[in-house]
Amino acid sequence: MRILVLANTPAHVHLYRHAVDRLERAGHDVLVLTREYACTTDLLDYFGIPYRVYGRHETDGYSRLGFVRELGGQFLTIGTEALRFDPDVVFGRGPYAAYAGTFSRAPVVLVLDDEPGDFNHTVSRPFADCIISPAVTRRDLGDAHYTFDGFKECAYLHPEVFEPAGDVREYLDVDPDEPYVIVRFNALDALHDTDLEGFRPEQRRELIERLGEAATVFVSDEGDDLDLRDLPARPYDLHPALIHDAMAEAELLVADTGTMATEAALLGTPAFRYRGTDDHEYGEFRALERAGLAEQFDAYDAVRDRSLEIIADDGASDRWERRRREYVGSLVNLTDLLVAVAESRGSIARLEGEAKRALRPRSHSL
């Protein structure tokens, strides 16, 4: 079989990387189409995943109009590559995957989460043969929509899949018992981030200063515009492939972005997300809050004070790890499911065993 995967962001690489590896080892031919955006191609290189670049994602002065302009030349390349590869099934999301599958006449499998924007869903839904999303998402995308108990991050952070590196503290240059915190600032340059605002500059600085009084602070600044020279913090500068190992060892993750907060929570690390101006209610976060693994805050003072409180709580790490074992261990291993769906050529009717039991028609579960 030939499986084509559209991986447009670092999160997409992590979503599919274990499935790609297993499919290749099973003798299938897998190709990833990607774009130059953030560290996406760095991750593909690190994990040894075969790929071809179809374009770049420009972030300076980004707008919805800019997004539409990007699509023209990129669609031409995607169509050419899809025809040349001649896939049996296409995985991805949004207009990229829909176009690749339609142009190559291959079944399209969309793997979605609870992102706020309607554009991707509206454009791609009519072309999808199968739509898979976590059961906690609240959309009903029609008869082809199936849900599973878990999160898209369960493809790489499920306890059956995630294997922590034992030397990440050495790479970070922190002692075995030294508490450290990771602070993540979002660039807010994706389509669904348009017009959103997270931590303000003065809030970023104060947060780092206060956290630095209690723990070593590593800052992951997606926009790369924060000067740390006079702040008690270090830039997080390990290879991006090691971020989950670093989060798993951290005492706390504070962020104004969704993906890393979800990842930290699934790893059993207290995950605090500052919503800023984002008023979208994410089904994933509501589930993680109920499980006691993540917390969201509408006010900056609240997330700052709660962060300082949890760092001073000697029992927090054990509580979060216990919650992780109880909750995350019961979720679906999404890599197993993706492999099964790929080998069924996107046909849910052909699934058997655990894979068939893991998926439920969305319209029947509302």
PDB file of all heavy atoms in Angstrom, residues 125 131 140-146 361-363:
ATOM      1  N   ARG A 125     -14.583  18.843   4.845  1.00  0.00           N
ATOM      2  CA  ARG A 125     -15.590  17.848   5.202  1.00  0.00           C
ATOM      3  C   ARG A 125     -16.255  17.167   4.003  1.00  0.00           C
ATOM      4  O   ARG A 125     -16.410  15.940   3.996  1.00  0.00           O
ATOM      5  CB  ARG A 125     -16.644  18.510   6.096  1.00  0.00           C
ATOM      6  CG  ARG A 125     -17.863  17.646   6.378  1.00  0.00           C
ATOM      7  CD  ARG A 125     -18.870  18.421   7.223  1.00  0.00           C
ATOM      8  NE  ARG A 125     -20.146  17.723   7.330  1.00  0.00           N
ATOM      9  CZ  ARG A 125     -21.187  18.197   7.994  1.00  0.00           C
ATOM     10  NH1 ARG A 125     -21.107  19.371   8.601  1.00  0.00           N
ATOM     11  NH2 ARG A 125     -22.323  17.524   8.050  1.00  0.00           N
ATOM     12  N   ILE A 131     -13.716  10.760   8.978  1.00  0.00           N
ATOM     13  CA  ILE A 131     -13.261  11.822   9.873  1.00  0.00           C
ATOM     14  C   ILE A 131     -13.142  11.222  11.271  1.00  0.00           C
ATOM     15  O   ILE A 131     -14.092  10.619  11.775  1.00  0.00           O
ATOM     16  CB  ILE A 131     -14.243  13.005   9.899  1.00  0.00           C
ATOM     17  CG1 ILE A 131     -14.404  13.592   8.499  1.00  0.00           C
ATOM     18  CG2 ILE A 131     -13.768  14.079  10.876  1.00  0.00           C
ATOM     19  CD1 ILE A 131     -15.493  14.650   8.399  1.00  0.00           C
ATOM     20  N   ASP A 140     -20.340  17.779  15.253  1.00  0.00           N
ATOM     21  CA  ASP A 140     -20.860  16.632  14.524  1.00  0.00           C
ATOM     22  C   ASP A 140     -20.647  16.934  13.047  1.00  0.00           C
ATOM     23  O   ASP A 140     -21.271  17.834  12.483  1.00  0.00           O
ATOM     24  CB  ASP A 140     -22.348  16.420  14.827  1.00  0.00           C
ATOM     25  CG  ASP A 140     -22.927  15.214  14.096  1.00  0.00           C
ATOM     26  OD1 ASP A 140     -22.172  14.553  13.353  1.00  0.00           O
ATOM     27  OD2 ASP A 140     -24.127  14.937  14.267  1.00  0.00           O
ATOM     28  N   LEU A 141     -19.749  16.184  12.411  1.00  0.00           N
ATOM     29  CA  LEU A 141     -19.366  16.463  11.036  1.00  0.00           C
ATOM     30  C   LEU A 141     -19.968  15.476  10.044  1.00  0.00           C
ATOM     31  O   LEU A 141     -19.440  15.272   8.958  1.00  0.00           O
ATOM     32  CB  LEU A 141     -17.833  16.483  10.922  1.00  0.00           C
ATOM     33  CG  LEU A 141     -17.151  17.559  11.776  1.00  0.00           C
ATOM     34  CD1 LEU A 141     -15.638  17.435  11.689  1.00  0.00           C
ATOM     35  CD2 LEU A 141     -17.595  18.952  11.349  1.00  0.00           C
ATOM     36  N   GLY A 142     -21.060  14.854  10.432  1.00  0.00           N
ATOM     37  CA  GLY A 142     -21.793  14.035   9.481  1.00  0.00           C
ATOM     38  C   GLY A 142     -21.585  12.545   9.635  1.00  0.00           C
ATOM     39  O   GLY A 142     -20.970  12.051  10.577  1.00  0.00           O
ATOM     40  N   ASP A 143     -22.116  11.793   8.665  1.00  0.00           N
ATOM     41  CA  ASP A 143     -22.131  10.336   8.741  1.00  0.00           C
ATOM     42  C   ASP A 143     -20.736   9.715   8.699  1.00  0.00           C
ATOM     43  O   ASP A 143     -20.567   8.574   9.155  1.00  0.00           O
ATOM     44  CB  ASP A 143     -22.963   9.760   7.591  1.00  0.00           C
ATOM     45  CG  ASP A 143     -24.447  10.098   7.716  1.00  0.00           C
ATOM     46  OD1 ASP A 143     -24.877  10.416   8.850  1.00  0.00           O
ATOM     47  OD2 ASP A 143     -25.150  10.042   6.694  1.00  0.00           O
ATOM     48  N   ALA A 144     -19.762  10.410   8.144  1.00  0.00           N
ATOM     49  CA  ALA A 144     -18.404   9.862   8.050  1.00  0.00           C
ATOM     50  C   ALA A 144     -17.566  10.156   9.285  1.00  0.00           C
ATOM     51  O   ALA A 144     -16.390   9.818   9.338  1.00  0.00           O
ATOM     52  CB  ALA A 144     -17.701  10.417   6.809  1.00  0.00           C
ATOM     53  N   HIS A 145     -18.166  10.794  10.290  1.00  0.00           N
ATOM     54  CA  HIS A 145     -17.435  11.240  11.479  1.00  0.00           C
ATOM     55  C   HIS A 145     -17.502  10.181  12.580  1.00  0.00           C
ATOM     56  O   HIS A 145     -18.586   9.771  13.004  1.00  0.00           O
ATOM     57  CB  HIS A 145     -18.040  12.558  11.968  1.00  0.00           C
ATOM     58  CG  HIS A 145     -17.298  13.188  13.092  1.00  0.00           C
ATOM     59  ND1 HIS A 145     -17.763  14.295  13.767  1.00  0.00           N
ATOM     60  CD2 HIS A 145     -16.108  12.893  13.677  1.00  0.00           C
ATOM     61  CE1 HIS A 145     -16.909  14.642  14.702  1.00  0.00           C
ATOM     62  NE2 HIS A 145     -15.897  13.798  14.669  1.00  0.00           N
ATOM     63  N   TYR A 146     -16.323   9.765  13.040  1.00  0.00           N
ATOM     64  CA  TYR A 146     -16.203   8.783  14.112  1.00  0.00           C
ATOM     65  C   TYR A 146     -15.313   9.344  15.216  1.00  0.00           C
ATOM     66  O   TYR A 146     -14.377  10.104  14.953  1.00  0.00           O
ATOM     67  CB  TYR A 146     -15.609   7.466  13.588  1.00  0.00           C
ATOM     68  CG  TYR A 146     -16.509   6.749  12.615  1.00  0.00           C
ATOM     69  CD1 TYR A 146     -16.549   7.124  11.270  1.00  0.00           C
ATOM     70  CD2 TYR A 146     -17.331   5.702  13.034  1.00  0.00           C
ATOM     71  CE1 TYR A 146     -17.387   6.479  10.372  1.00  0.00           C
ATOM     72  CE2 TYR A 146     -18.169   5.052  12.141  1.00  0.00           C
ATOM     73  CZ  TYR A 146     -18.194   5.443  10.815  1.00  0.00           C
ATOM     74  OH  TYR A 146     -19.016   4.800   9.933  1.00  0.00           O
ATOM     75  N   PRO A 361     -19.671   6.058  15.760  1.00  0.00           N
ATOM     76  CA  PRO A 361     -20.241   7.107  14.909  1.00  0.00           C
ATOM     77  C   PRO A 361     -20.587   8.334  15.758  1.00  0.00           C
ATOM     78  O   PRO A 361     -21.263   8.201  16.782  1.00  0.00           O
ATOM     79  CB  PRO A 361     -21.495   6.473  14.316  1.00  0.00           C
ATOM     80  CG  PRO A 361     -21.260   4.996  14.438  1.00  0.00           C
ATOM     81  CD  PRO A 361     -20.449   4.805  15.668  1.00  0.00           C
ATOM     82  N   ARG A 362     -20.128   9.496  15.334  1.00  0.00           N
ATOM     83  CA  ARG A 362     -20.349  10.690  16.137  1.00  0.00           C
ATOM     84  C   ARG A 362     -21.840  10.998  16.301  1.00  0.00           C
ATOM     85  O   ARG A 362     -22.303  11.361  17.379  1.00  0.00           O
ATOM     86  CB  ARG A 362     -19.657  11.897  15.485  1.00  0.00           C
ATOM     87  CG  ARG A 362     -19.876  13.219  16.206  1.00  0.00           C
ATOM     88  CD  ARG A 362     -19.398  13.136  17.624  1.00  0.00           C
ATOM     89  NE  ARG A 362     -19.395  14.451  18.271  1.00  0.00           N
ATOM     90  CZ  ARG A 362     -19.226  14.631  19.563  1.00  0.00           C
ATOM     91  NH1 ARG A 362     -19.036  13.582  20.353  1.00  0.00           N
ATOM     92  NH2 ARG A 362     -19.227  15.833  20.074  1.00  0.00           N
ATOM     93  N   SER A 363     -22.596  10.828  15.239  1.00  0.00           N
ATOM     94  CA  SER A 363     -24.020  11.187  15.288  1.00  0.00           C
ATOM     95  C   SER A 363     -24.786  10.295  16.254  1.00  0.00           C
ATOM     96  O   SER A 363     -25.841  10.665  16.740  1.00  0.00           O
ATOM     97  CB  SER A 363     -24.639  11.074  13.893  1.00  0.00           C
ATOM     98  OG  SER A 363     -24.474   9.771  13.374  1.00  0.00           O
TER      99      SER A 363
END
